[in-house]
Amino acid sequence: MINVIWLALIVIGFGFAAAQGNIETVTSAAFDGAKTGVTVCFGLISVLVFWLGMMKLAEESGLLQKIAKLMGPIVRFLFPDVPRNHPAMGYILSNMSANLLGLGNAATPMGIKAMQELQTLNPDKTAASPAMCTLLALNTASITLIPTTLIAIRMNYQSANPTEIVGTTLAATMVATLAAVAADRWYRRKFLNRRPKPPIPAGPAAALQPDAQDMKG
Amino acid sequence: MTAIINMISAWAIPVLIAFIPLFAFTKKVPVYESFVVGAKEGFQTAVQIIPNLVGMMVAISVFRASGALDFFVGWTGPFLHRLGVPSEILPLGLLRPLTGTGSLAFATDLISVYGPDSMIGRMASTIQGSTDTTLYVLTVYMGAVGIRNGRYSLKVGLFSDVVGFIASIAVCLLFFG
């Protein structure tokens, strides 16, 4: 799907530029885009270097494992196939907490670190595991308690009540996150069912019944 | 409420920066040396993402600059308007999953033109704040570990963007309407 979207963006863009007779915009836009990509990555270097250094301290001191234990039930529900005391759990939680607080530049390094830890559990190193898909779903929906950037912008434009959107944002982000988690669960089950099953046939079929009910409710 | 939120925003990161090394020190971790070991990974990770991000940014940039995005926005606007949704808000829904800086710029523009306390300003704030840039998140996270096949994650991300967009508008109409 990503291949189709990528190709469609370029080809449709080319078509429009050609039809409107300003084909030269394609060239400049392509190189501007490339430059933006590199600039964003360079911006990420400082943030990644700093936070991954900090997170190493959190990992080696056992802080991550402590957080993971504290919030265990929620994460175990979302990531059933990650072992309880795996470091990935701690990074997933740090990533979720940073998102909640609206600390975007801390959330990304922790999410990347979580991906790297999940990759060690992944049997197929070129394709995303179900746990990775769940992490991606949570991050694209991005559960936010405090939309810091937007509050700052609203203050900038002299809003009478800059934080009045906290409630509406929270409601919308919760709906989006629930939708993402539900969709993730649905695709995940489809994906796991398609895979060759282990020899005990009673297990998955019996386990499926109550879950299917959950989805409806 | 503004004061409390501002305080949390201001204190959260400084507290983490002081607390994490202090906690590690009490657990007898060689703090500076461990920091450097962890930080080393950051550079490689950032460099590894460059090809993915360049590829994605080129496609999005061409799509935007060619006028294709404007065309789709103009085409769907009147249809949404009939449903009670201000058509000015629609480009934001299309931009949001594609580009974080682009949609932030657009949301800021809506806020400055219509005012932060107008319905459009509130909707723009809610939409921009409630979800993240799906393509960017997928590109960066998968690029960092060399995953090529994202399986169903793009579908899930785009689905939640659509749901988030509709929910933002509905909640704003309910709450401020």
Side-chain angles (χ1 to χ4, degrees), chain A residues 150-209:
Chain A
L150 268 299
I151 293 173
I153 291 171
R154 294 171 59 82
M155 286 169 82
N156 232 357
Y157 288 97
Q158 274 88 42
S159 168
N161 187 359
T163 54
E164 69 177 356
I165 50 110
V166 169
T168 53
T169 304
L170 191 60
T173 197
M174 267 160 56
V175 172
T177 303
L178 282 179
V181 170
D184 175 67
R185 281 273 144 151
W186 191 72
Y187 278 114
R188 174 199 167 91
R189 185 162 305 130
K190 244 175 65 174
F191 167 71
L192 291 177
N193 282 347
R194 230 185 307 131
R195 250 186 357 194
K197 285 186 185 112
I200 320 129
L208 240 161
Q209 280 316 102

Side-chain angles (χ1 to χ4, degrees), chain A residues 1-2 5-6 9-10 12-14 16-17 20 25-26 29-30 32-34 36-38 40-42 44-45 48-54 56-58 60-63 66 95 101 103 105 107-108 111-113 115-116 119 122 124-128 130 132-133 135-137 139-142 144 146-151 153-155 157-166 168-169 171-173 175-176 179-180 183-184 187-188 191, chain B residues 1-2 5-6 8-9 12-13 16-17 19-21 23-24 27 29-32 34-35 37-43 45-47 49-50 53-63 65-68 71-72 98 104 107-108 111-112 116-117 121-122 124-126 128-138 140-142 144-161 163-164 167-168 171-172 175-176:
Chain A
M1 192 173 174
I2 192 93
I5 289 191
W6 193 70
L9 287 173
I10 293 180
I12 294 172
F14 174 86
F16 264 87
Q20 291 173 349
T25 55
V26 174
D32 278 350
T36 311
V38 175
V40 171
C41 283
F42 270 68
L44 273 177
I45 291 178
L48 275 170
V49 167
F50 174 69
W51 279 112
L52 291 191
M54 277 295 183
K56 190 79 181 172
L57 295 181
E60 287 190 352
S61 61
L63 188 61
K66 269 211 176 87
N95 167 256
L101 295 174
L103 310 175
N105 79 350
T108 310
I112 287 173
K113 196 69 198 161
M115 285 293 278
Q116 289 172 342
Q119 180 74 319
N122 190 3
D124 179 355
K125 302 293 180 207
T126 61
M132 288 177 171
C133 290
L135 181 69
L136 291 169
N139 274 283
T140 53
S142 152
T144 317
I146 306 168
T148 40
T149 317
L150 268 299
I151 293 173
I153 291 171
R154 294 171 59 82
M155 286 169 82
Y157 288 97
Q158 274 88 42
S159 168
N161 187 359
T163 54
E164 69 177 356
I165 50 110
V166 169
T168 53
T169 304
T173 197
V175 172
D184 175 67
Y187 278 114
R188 174 199 167 91
F191 167 71
Chain B
M1 188 166 176
T2 317
I5 288 173
N6 284 341
I8 294 175
S9 309
I13 288 188
L16 278 180
I17 291 175
F19 175 73
I20 294 174
F23 182 83
K27 298 284 170 185
V29 174
V31 279
Y32 177 69
S34 285
F35 174 86
V37 169
K40 229 174 239 165
E41 295 170 30
F43 185 74
T45 308
V47 171
I49 305 167
I50 291 181
L53 218 48
V54 166
M56 204 42 86
M57 289 296 177
V58 166
I60 291 166
S61 174
V62 168
F63 187 72
S66 68
F71 172 80
F72 287 109
L98 294 178
L104 183 63
T108 309
I111 290 171
S112 76
D117 301 323
R122 286 159 169 166
S125 311
T126 305
Q128 180 68 26
S130 66
T131 104
D132 210 335
T133 317
T134 297
L135 274 187
Y136 173 80
V137 169
L138 294 187
V140 167
Y141 280 36
M142 298 199 315
V145 288
I147 295 279
R148 289 170 48 209
N149 176 358
R151 299 210 201 268
Y152 46 84
S153 49
L154 182 62
K155 282 183 220 164
V156 171
L158 292 179
F159 172 70
S160 91
D161 285 333
V163 172
S168 299
V171 168
C172 282
F175 201 74
F176 302 117

